[in-house]
Amino acid sequence: MLELKNVSKNFTMHLQGGLQLSVVSGVSMTVRPGECVVLGGASGAGKSSLLKMIYGNYRCDDGEITLQDNNTPVDIAKATPRKILSLRQRKMAYVSQFLRVIPRVSALEVVAGAARSFGVGASEAETRAVGLLRTLNIPERLWALPPATFSGGEQQRVNIARGFVADHPLLLLDEPTASLDAANRAAVVELIDRKKRAGTAILGIFHDEDVRDRVADRVIDVTRFKSAA
Amino acid sequence: MRQPDQYHNEAPLLSVSGLTKFYGARLGCKDVSFDLFAGEVLAVVGESGSGKSTLLSMLAAHSQPSSGTVTYLMRDGIARSVFGLSAAQQRLLLRTDWGFVHQDPARGLRMGVSAGANVGERLMAIGERHYGNIRDTALDWLSRVEIDADRIDDAPHSFSGGMRQRLQIARNLVTQPRLMFMDEPTGGLDVSVQARLLDVLRALVADLGLSMVIVTHDLAVARLLSHRIMVMRRGEVIETGLTDQVLDDPREPYTQLLVSSVLQV
């Protein structure tokens, strides 16, 4: 589903006198349908940056990030903005560390809208959204409110619901369980299992060892992709 | 389940190549090229004097370039050079298939006639004559931009800045244009008024599948409304790409400065 070949990333901080920060170098890996690959390594190792590069949110300076689009490989590192938007609509969903949504849109609409843009019909999208908000224990009185005022954990669960509501074949998860209690962590583990059984390829970051042990088919230590410099 | 790919390949609606404008010896903008597709929103950002308004005025055929071309895919499916059209054809485009929203609503509205007439005027320009139809359509558009029906007979000089701007948008959209040009549409408005205007705009773009070129110095506006972003400085495009990519991973020194200068709230 996803293949990375020799992927490298540097930041040049022009406002700090052109300081060069090497994030990762020479990353190669694959993620197959139905498996959950977990990125390991200490904070700052470049795990989040890798997910952002795959989602097209960060540029990829070097190497190839190949995603299968109906049996046609597409290199995200060189794809046009339109192509990346198209892949985000149809092929990959991303649960970021922090919820970033359009202001003044209700939680239910944030989730249902994500399903509709994937192509799910309006009523089915709402049914799925309601189901996920329930599974993730978001109180019903909050559904009509914009998530900006929610607690960190509630926002994160809305974020998870938005990422899981459609059927994208690739899911990118950046610490989805970080600010959740045990019951909600268990709910997320169950959602991940269901996606895996449905054949979704998952690449994620989980600091919580308990969750990681339960969902990971493989762990890739990102620390080994640090460049020597 | 039907799975639409709203970004499937097709001919661009607007295609811009090598667009350059000199005012005498002074550079307005230089060698700007891009394609804009149906349903796509492009934000042009940069500081005052960066050439973004110069660019917009050429795109909308308000002024002639020194060199370069702009082609537009007309409703008959044929891409034509905008500057090759006669003045009358250009006016027709501007009155029907295009819209232009000015930063100052007074430039885009007729301040002395009623809100209803402001919206109805563009309909009459394309041949609508039935008073009842025009008034109904005007009422519909006023409600879509959240202006109360009982203000239809009031002239815009009695409106607040935010209402004037929403009226200007309604006036433009009434002919169901496919392409809108916007010059700092939220400039000079209070933030709460900006928020309401942005909500209206976002909903309209999503519902109507409009294409837009929006000039703004407000990166938050660009993030909220646009798919792609073009950063201009001293008349040249210095960086371009997917909006969230350029804002979250800016490459050029000037873009990094712009992004880091935004106050976080």
Side-chain angles (χ1 to χ4, degrees):
Chain A
M1 189 65 217
L2 177 73
E3 180 168 21
L4 276 67
K5 265 190 212 152
N6 272 316
V7 167
S8 300
K9 175 74 186 164
N10 297 288
F11 286 113
T12 307
M13 323 280 273
H14 291 288
L15 303 182
Q16 274 74 41
L19 179 72
Q20 290 273 342
L21 278 184
S22 170
V23 184
V24 286
S25 159
V27 180
S28 297
M29 66 171 79
T30 55
V31 186
R32 284 179 290 271
E35 78 171 340
C36 178
V37 175
V38 171
L39 297 176
S43 193
K47 304 184 296 294
S48 288
S49 294
L50 265 179
L51 288 190
K52 288 176 180 178
M53 288 157 75
I54 295 165
Y55 198 60
N57 178 227
Y58 282 0
R59 295 169 224 252
C60 174
D61 299 321
D62 207 7
E64 291 171 23
I65 300 174
T66 308
L67 185 64
Q68 290 300 326
D69 182 7
N70 303 335
N71 299 321
T72 309
V74 179
D75 182 3
I76 293 170
K78 295 183 186 61
T80 62
R82 260 167 80 72
K83 191 71 202 175
I84 292 173
L85 289 172
S86 166
L87 292 173
R88 288 179 183 179
Q89 185 206 339
R90 300 173 299 112
K91 295 294 164 191
M92 57 180 171
Y94 167 53
V95 177
S96 56
Q97 237 169 326
F98 303 101
L99 179 66
R100 179 165 221 159
V101 289
I102 292 162
R104 301 175 297 279
V105 175
S106 76
L108 183 65
E109 177 54 26
V110 164
V111 180
R116 286 200 309 273
S117 83
F118 178 78
V120 178
S123 69
E124 161 78 5
E126 176 146 345
T127 308
R128 287 191 189 194
V130 164
L132 274 170
L133 291 175
R134 281 227 170 86
T135 304
L136 291 163
N137 304 306
I138 303 281
E140 193 163 346
R141 63 189 158 78
L142 296 181
W143 295 359
L145 303 177
T149 55
F150 293 8
S151 75
E154 285 161 352
Q155 291 197 12
Q156 188 54 358
R157 280 176 277 148
V158 171
N159 205 9
I160 292 164
R162 179 177 61 170
F164 279 74
V165 74
D167 309 313
H168 297 97
L170 175 66
L171 259 183
L172 305 168
L173 307 176
D174 194 348
E175 296 201 52
T177 53
S179 47
L180 303 186
D181 59 26
N184 284 310
R185 278 202 305 274
V188 174
V189 168
E190 169 57 28
L191 287 175
I192 290 173
D193 277 341
R194 233 185 284 167
K195 286 285 182 199
K196 281 166 68 175
R197 285 196 298 271
T200 306
I202 299 175
L203 183 62
I205 302 167
F206 300 90
H207 275 304
D208 177 13
E209 276 179 38
D210 174 47
V211 172
R212 181 166 52 195
D213 291 346
R214 282 156 74 185
V215 300
D217 295 300
R218 283 186 290 141
V219 177
I220 295 176
D221 185 358
V222 171
T223 318
R224 66 188 165 95
F225 299 118
K226 273 287 172 204
S227 65
Chain B
M1 186 180 65
R2 109 203 134 86
Q3 201 188 20
D5 179 359
Q6 63 188 79
Y7 305 95
H8 61 115
N9 284 319
E10 57 194 35
L13 192 63
L14 192 72
S15 188
V16 177
S17 176
L19 211 58
T20 301
K21 176 85 174 176
F22 281 95
Y23 298 100
R26 190 170 62 81
L27 177 69
C29 76
K30 187 178 162 193
D31 199 20
V32 177
S33 301
F34 66 89
D35 286 336
L36 186 75
F37 292 84
E40 203 172 32
V41 178
L42 173 72
V44 184
V45 304
E47 61 202 359
S48 305
S50 60
K52 47 193 205 302
S53 292
T54 297
L55 172 65
L56 197 69
S57 81
M58 285 189 290
L59 295 178
H62 290 171
S63 68
Q64 288 277 335
S66 306
S67 62
T69 60
V70 177
T71 59
Y72 179 67
L73 188 68
M74 312 261 290
R75 282 190 190 253
D76 60 8
I78 297 170
R80 292 189 178 83
S81 164
V82 169
F83 300 107
L85 300 173
S86 70
Q89 286 170 313
Q90 283 181 0
R91 269 199 308 279
L92 185 67
L93 261 190
L94 273 164
R95 278 200 305 233
T96 58
D97 222 16
W98 291 359
F100 197 105
V101 171
H102 297 269
Q103 177 174 1
D104 177 7
R107 287 187 60 200
L109 292 170
R110 295 218 293 146
M111 298 302 282
V113 306
S114 72
N118 263 290
V119 177
E121 191 178 41
R122 265 176 69 112
L123 282 177
M124 290 193 282
I126 57 168
E128 179 63 70
R129 288 288 174 266
H130 188 281
Y131 177 78
N133 288 349
I134 292 173
R135 195 173 169 89
D136 288 348
T137 310
L139 273 172
D140 178 43
W141 275 101
L142 291 180
S143 86
R144 288 174 81 163
V145 297
E146 301 176 359
I147 294 174
D148 289 336
D150 62 7
R151 302 301 301 270
I152 187 171
D153 295 317
D154 297 344
H157 60 67
S158 72
F159 286 7
S160 68
M163 279 175 75
R164 288 180 190 182
Q165 200 55 296
R166 281 180 274 127
L167 179 62
Q168 192 189 182
I169 288 164
R171 174 182 162 95
N172 275 282
L173 289 179
V174 70
T175 56
Q176 301 182 353
R178 294 186 297 157
L179 176 59
M180 289 275 274
F181 300 104
M182 298 213 175
D183 193 2
E184 302 277 8
T186 57
L189 299 176
D190 290 339
V191 282
S192 60
V193 177
Q194 275 193 22
R196 189 167 174 201
L197 182 71
L198 288 171
D199 286 349
V200 166
L201 270 179
R202 198 173 48 74
L204 289 171
V205 169
D207 290 351
L208 305 173
L210 272 179
S211 300
M212 279 203 315
V213 179
I214 179 167
V215 161
T216 180
H217 66 271
D218 188 336
L219 297 182
V221 170
R223 191 188 277 275
L224 193 64
L225 291 179
S226 73
H227 302 106
R228 277 192 301 145
I229 203 167
M230 212 158 80
V231 183
M232 292 189 71
R233 188 182 197 209
R234 294 179 183 155
E236 294 188 58
V237 174
I238 57 163
E239 186 158 3
T240 179
L242 200 60
T243 296
D244 63 278
Q245 194 180 70
V246 171
L247 294 181
D248 293 339
D249 185 12
R251 176 165 291 174
E252 292 297 317
Y254 176 69
T255 315
Q256 291 187 357
L257 179 65
L258 269 187
V259 170
S260 70
S261 304
V262 176
L263 294 173
Q264 304 285 327
V265 288

